[in-house]
Every structure is written in C-alpha cells, then in structure tokens.
Amino acid sequence: MEPTPNYLDQALFPNGIPRDDLSIQRTMELYKLMVSSSENLVARRQAVNTFFLTINSAILTTGGLLISNQTSMELRSIGIIVLGITGAILSLAWKSLIRSFGQLNKGKFAVINRIEQIFPAAIYIAEWKALDEGRDPRKYRSFSSREVWAPWTFFAIYCLCTTIALLGTFRGNRVF
C-alpha cells in the first residue's frame, strides 16, 4: 500500500514514483547515497561535539589559571567575565548546531523512509516501528534530546561564573 502523493513525493519523485526495474535500481543508488549522507552527518556531528568540548575545556582551564594567578582582583574578574560571556555564546552556538544536525538527520530519514516504501523491505521504517516511533521514552530517546545537556551545562557554569564575577566587581568584594 503506497501513501498518497504529498509534497515530499513531488520533490523526491518529480517524474512520478518509480515503477520499472531500471528506475527502481536508480532509486536504490540514491537511497544508498542518502544513507551514506546520514552516516557522514553523524560523523560531522561528533567532530563538532569534540571541537566544542575541547574549546570549553580550554576556556575553563584558562579561567582556573586566571583565578589562581596573583593578578589584581579587578583583572581576574574582568577575565572571568570575558571568558564567561565567550563561553556562554559558544555554548548557545553549540546547542544550535546540535539542533540543526538533528533536524537535518530527521529530514534525511523522512526521505530514506519514503524511498523504502517502494522497496520490498523497509528496514529503517521497521526499526522505527520497533522503537514505537519514539513515543515511549523507555524504548527510545533521541540522542539530540540528551546531547544538548552538555552545552546547557556549560552555559549554566558560564552564567554563574560571570554573575559572581560581576557581583564581586560591583561590590568590591574579593570573589576569586
């Protein structure tokens, strides 16, 4: 049973749904390309996460060194504020990229799943059904939903450190 044509079918199959063997074979090659593209997207996503973890580690290390330095309180506070604001901005950018990667992969799987509907077997559709289509968190939770915890945690740390540094600077108290 094929679904009724929709906007995805119109974009994916501009000349109509493939029915002859040659068209289905060509569609299979495109399907393989799309699956490979999805796998490459996951690899890029992991590289981006590694990059942001490294940058955040460097910022926090720099902050720790700055705090332990024997410079004036004002200079340390300004340094912490600058690092905190920079880290917060980077954390928000990281979260945004995670969201974009998730959206891209969701779109890729919409195409992959639609193409599978013209094949004799639909393994990704079957896998999604086995996971209750994501409705039951005991069976499946998206990686993106937990992946954003890292940038939000760093964001909270940066906001807290910046706030403490600002309060200490304005009150003239020794904070760090």
Side-chain angles (χ1 to χ4, degrees), residues 39-67:
E39 291 168 352
N40 290 337
L41 183 67
V42 170
R44 284 196 326 259
R45 182 179 183 156
Q46 290 171 340
V48 165
N49 286 337
T50 300
F51 168 78
F52 277 104
L53 281 170
T54 302
I55 292 295
N56 280 288
S57 296
I59 289 171
L60 292 176
T61 300
T62 303
L65 291 172
L66 188 60
I67 290 170

Side-chain angles (χ1 to χ4, degrees), residues 48-118:
V48 165
N49 286 337
T50 300
F51 168 78
F52 277 104
L53 281 170
T54 302
I55 292 295
N56 280 288
S57 296
I59 289 171
L60 292 176
T61 300
T62 303
L65 291 172
L66 188 60
I67 290 170
S68 67
N69 196 333
Q70 297 302 318
T71 59
S72 70
M73 181 189 74
E74 293 81 16
L75 188 57
R76 282 185 277 179
S77 291
I78 290 170
I80 295 299
I81 291 167
V82 168
L83 288 174
I85 292 170
T86 301
I89 291 168
L90 286 171
S91 295
L92 292 175
W94 184 12
K95 183 203 115 355
S96 177
L97 284 171
I98 289 171
R99 183 172 182 233
S100 292
F101 279 125
Q103 290 168 328
L104 278 171
N105 221 25
K106 187 175 182 177
K108 288 182 183 302
F109 269 94
V111 172
I112 288 167
N113 289 345
R114 177 58 188 110
I115 292 172
E116 277 191 345
Q117 291 174 353
I118 65 170

